[in-house]
Amino acid sequence: MSEVVLKTENLSKSYSVKHKTIPALKDLSLEIKRGEFVAIMGHSGSGKTTLLSILGCLDKPTEGSVYLDGVNLAGLHGSQLSRIRRNKIGFVFQSFNLLPYLNAKENVELAMESTGMSKSERSARATELLALVGLSGREDHRPQQLSAGEQQRVAIARALANNPSVILADELTGNLDGKTKYEIMKLLVKLNLQGTTIVLVTHDQKVAAESERTIRLASGRIKSEGRGNLAKRKENHPPNAKGTQVPEEIKADEFYDEG
C-alpha cells in the first residue's frame, strides 16, 4: 500500500464576518497517497480553495490536524511553516506569478535561493527542469515573450525546483485555451507518472476527469469521491522497478479532446 503523504483529521475552518461565524470546512478527513493525482472540485463557497490553502500552510485550521510527511502542520508556526512551504510544497497558480524582469531560467532559480545550493547548481537544476517541461531553448525569454501555456510551464518547473513532497495547483488551466489546457494536462500526467504527487483544485469537469481520483466538496464537507481516467491508465501500465510508470506509454488519444 502506498505511503500517505498528506492527511487531514476532523479539519474545520471558520471565518468571522461582521460578527458572524462563517464555516468554510466542517470536520473534513482525507488521505492523499504519495504518487497520487487528486482533483478537488466544488461550487464556489464549497471550501476547496480554503482546503488547498490549509494544505499549503498558507492558512491554519480552526480545529483538526493536517499532516505532511507525518508532521502535524497545525502545530507549527512562523519560520517552521516557511521551511515546510519552501522545501516540501510546490505551488502553481492560475495567474502564473512569474516576475516580469526575470527570464524563465531566473524565475525557476529564484525558488532555490534559500536552499544552500550554489549558483552553478541552481543554474543546472533550472535548465534541467525547463527541459523537463518542454522549454529547452526558451531559458532566456522573459514572461512577456512567452505564451500563456509556456508561462504555466515555467511556473510548473519552478514548483518542482526543490523536489517537493506535493504539488498544489489552484485552477492552473483556468486561463488557458482548449489546446493549451490539453498540453498542460499531458505534462501533469507525465510528471505524476514519474512520481510527483499532485493535488489540483479545478472547476473544469473535463480536467478533473483526467486525474486519478476526484473529490467533490459541498458546504465544507466531502460530498463524493470517484476514480478518474488516470486510475484506469495506471492499472494498464503497472509501475516499474523504481515505482513509476513510463510516461511514453500514455498515448495522447487517451486524453480528452483538446478542443
Side-chain angles (χ1 to χ4, degrees):
M1 184 175 293
S2 299
E3 174 189 4
V4 174
V5 62
L6 263 177
K7 178 180 179 180
T8 73
E9 291 182 343
N10 308 118
L11 191 68
S12 295
K13 177 67 178 180
S14 298
Y15 296 98
S16 294
V17 180
K18 295 182 179 180
H19 306 294
K20 292 183 179 181
T21 299
I22 307 297
L25 298 174
K26 304 172 185 176
D27 198 30
L28 189 151
S29 297
L30 65 82
E31 291 185 350
I32 295 171
K33 296 178 181 178
R34 194 173 302 280
E36 264 197 300
F37 188 160
V38 177
I40 298 175
M41 297 195 73
H43 296 299
S44 178
S46 63
K48 59 186 186 297
T49 298
T50 298
L51 175 59
L52 200 72
S53 294
I54 292 175
L55 294 178
C57 302
L58 299 173
D59 201 354
K60 300 194 72 172
T62 305
E63 296 180 10
S65 302
V66 183
Y67 296 90
L68 175 59
D69 285 335
V71 175
N72 188 356
L73 304 180
L76 303 182
H77 300 278
S79 60
Q80 295 173 312
L81 290 173
S82 294
R83 283 194 296 272
I84 291 287
R85 284 193 296 269
R86 181 186 67 209
N87 299 327
K88 295 278 190 177
I89 303 169
F91 295 95
V92 187
F93 300 99
Q94 180 176 352
S95 57
F96 316 140
N97 292 342
L98 301 177
L99 295 181
Y101 52 86
L102 298 180
N103 62 33
K105 185 177 176 182
E106 290 166 339
N107 266 285
V108 177
E109 287 185 59
L110 189 63
M112 298 176 271
E113 281 202 346
S114 301
T115 62
M117 296 175 66
S118 67
K119 173 63 177 175
S120 61
E121 288 172 328
R122 295 197 302 271
S123 176
R125 174 71 174 156
T127 299
E128 172 191 343
L129 288 171
L130 289 171
L132 178 65
V133 300
L135 288 179
S136 289
R138 306 286 277 172
E139 297 89 347
D140 295 330
H141 289 69
R142 293 189 178 183
Q144 58 269 32
Q145 298 172 306
L146 300 172
S147 69
E150 289 171 332
Q151 290 183 65
Q152 194 59 284
R153 288 172 182 269
V154 175
I156 292 170
R158 181 184 58 192
L160 292 166
N162 296 322
N163 292 309
S165 296
V166 61
I167 295 289
L168 301 180
D170 189 6
E171 299 284 7
L172 85 168
T173 62
N175 285 335
L176 306 178
D177 60 38
K179 181 178 180 180
T180 306
K181 184 188 302 183
Y182 168 82
E183 295 298 332
I184 291 297
M185 286 305 297
K186 284 176 63 178
L187 172 59
L188 291 180
V189 169
K190 172 185 174 181
L191 295 173
N192 178 253
L193 294 177
Q194 293 176 335
T196 301
T197 306
I198 300 173
V199 179
L200 166 66
V201 162
T202 181
H203 69 279
D204 191 323
Q205 182 65 52
K206 293 173 74 174
V207 166
E210 298 308 315
S211 69
E212 183 175 0
R213 178 162 60 113
T214 60
I215 298 174
R216 186 175 292 275
L217 301 185
S219 300
R221 301 180 187 272
I222 295 178
K223 179 182 179 181
S224 63
E225 294 194 38
R227 281 161 47 92
N229 295 334
L230 183 56
K232 185 179 296 185
R233 292 198 289 271
K234 284 187 174 182
E235 289 175 357
N236 294 334
H237 303 290
N240 58 29
K242 296 181 179 179
T244 62
Q245 278 90 354
V246 180
E248 288 72 19
E249 294 175 342
I250 304 300
K251 300 176 182 178
D253 59 11
E254 293 179 306
F255 290 82
Y256 63 84
D257 182 0
E258 64 186 79

